[in-house]
């Protein structure tokens, strides 16, 4: 199979259109470009993997869904995503008022989606490599947790090297001292849920839990 069948090309094309749209009259071009440096790295890694060891379409799609959410968040540097305006226009409800939130929580959604989207991809990759279901599930969650921690350390490095105002704008902490820990928890929790569902499906397909019908013992005539 070629690395980029038609469905993959269409999906990638839609993704690039969405990313381009987020750059229409950017409100925070410098900070948005900083965030998109990770988008470029993620997309480059995805295309490299796709050429060498093609991913199933579901995995390819999950990764791009996460990158779309990240790109939308980068448009408003995470802290100012106008989701309240969107939900009010569509449903007449402002989420922050409905749930009593005191901050913009779109960054929480993105971290949660990292676990939800990448966990099953990692699980499927480990299974393709011949690993067992339990091992694949455990290591997939572990990788999500580890990479989330590395990213938070990266943000900490930004905060240590940039001016405080620029660091706050990039990190999107919004005054929450426990922002990094909450982000890691959400990513890991999302991975646990998504990988658990994926592992249960894998168990079901492998015949786990199916009842074996006992066969009558053979008897000798005469």
């Amino acid at each position: 199979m070629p690395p980029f069948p038609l469905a993959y090309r269409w999906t990638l094309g839609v993704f690039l259109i969405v990313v381009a749209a987020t750059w229409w009259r950017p409100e925070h071009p410098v900070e948005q470009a900083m965030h998109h440096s990770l988008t470029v790295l993620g997309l480059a890694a995805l295309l490299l993997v796709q050429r060498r060891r093609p991913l199933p379409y579901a995995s390819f799609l999950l990764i791009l869904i996460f990158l779309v959410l990240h790109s939308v968040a980068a448009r408003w540097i995470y802290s100012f995503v106008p989701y309240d305006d969107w939900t009010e226009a569509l449903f007449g409800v402002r989420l922050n008022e409905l749930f009593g939130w005191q901050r913009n929580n779109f960054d929480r959604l993105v971290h949660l989606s990292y676990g939800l989207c990448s966990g099953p991809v990692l699980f499927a990759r480990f299974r393709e490599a011949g690993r067992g279901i339990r091992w694949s599930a455990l290591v997939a969650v572990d990788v999500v947790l580890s990479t989330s921690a590395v990213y938070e350390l990266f943000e900490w490095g930004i905060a240590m090297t940039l001016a405080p105002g620029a660091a706050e704008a990039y990190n999107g902490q919004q005054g929450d001292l426990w922002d990094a820990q909450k982000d890691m928890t959400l990513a890991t929790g999302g991975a646990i849920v998504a990988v658990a569902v994926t592992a249960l499906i894998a168990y079901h397909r492998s015949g786990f839990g199916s009842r074996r019908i006992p066969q009558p013992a053979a008897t000798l005539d005469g």
Side-chain angles (χ1 to χ4, degrees):
M1 182 183 71
F4 293 101
L6 183 60
Y8 290 71
R9 293 199 297 270
W10 274 104
T11 305
L12 181 60
V14 171
F15 166 75
L16 294 175
I17 291 172
V18 171
V19 172
T22 65
W23 277 99
W24 175 254
R25 296 180 180 178
E27 300 178 13
H28 312 277
V30 175
E31 292 85 356
Q32 185 176 350
M34 291 172 62
H35 281 293
H36 271 297
S37 63
L38 297 177
T39 308
V40 172
L41 290 175
L43 183 60
L46 174 61
L47 297 180
L48 180 63
V49 168
Q50 190 63 21
R51 287 192 174 278
R52 293 187 175 181
R53 294 183 59 189
L55 292 169
Y57 178 73
S59 295
F60 187 82
L61 178 62
L62 283 173
I63 293 173
L64 289 185
I65 287 174
F66 168 72
L67 291 178
V68 163
L69 290 172
H70 170 69
S71 299
V72 170
R75 172 73 170 81
W76 287 275
I77 59 172
Y78 278 83
S79 298
F80 307 107
V81 179
Y83 60 81
D84 267 333
D85 296 337
W86 299 342
T87 57
E88 185 175 30
L90 292 172
F91 310 109
V93 175
R94 298 183 69 84
L95 292 182
N96 275 30
E97 293 179 3
L98 180 64
F99 295 107
W101 295 338
Q102 301 299 317
R103 72 190 298 278
N104 190 297
N105 278 314
F106 199 85
D107 65 324
R108 304 288 193 228
L109 172 64
V110 176
H111 284 279
L112 176 65
S113 71
Y114 176 65
L116 291 173
C117 293
S118 62
V121 174
L122 292 165
F123 176 84
R125 208 59 165 176
F126 293 140
R127 291 288 291 149
E128 289 174 8
R131 299 292 185 175
I133 293 176
R134 294 181 182 178
W135 189 96
S136 299
L138 177 63
V139 177
V141 173
D142 183 56
V143 171
V144 171
L145 172 60
S146 301
T147 51
S148 296
V150 169
Y151 178 75
E152 296 301 332
L153 289 173
F154 173 77
E155 283 195 332
W156 173 76
I158 294 292
M160 293 294 291
T161 55
L162 294 181
E168 173 65 22
Y170 178 81
N171 291 348
Q173 292 177 227
Q174 303 178 61
D176 188 351
L177 295 176
W178 301 102
D179 181 68
Q181 289 82 356
K182 292 176 182 178
D183 290 345
M184 291 169 57
T185 300
L186 282 170
T188 306
I192 290 172
V193 171
V195 170
V197 172
T198 309
L200 286 174
I201 294 173
Y203 271 126
H204 177 73
R205 290 178 176 174
S206 65
F208 174 79
S210 61
R211 296 181 178 179
R212 299 187 60 184
I213 300 175
Q215 298 298 323
T219 57
L220 296 176
D221 294 329

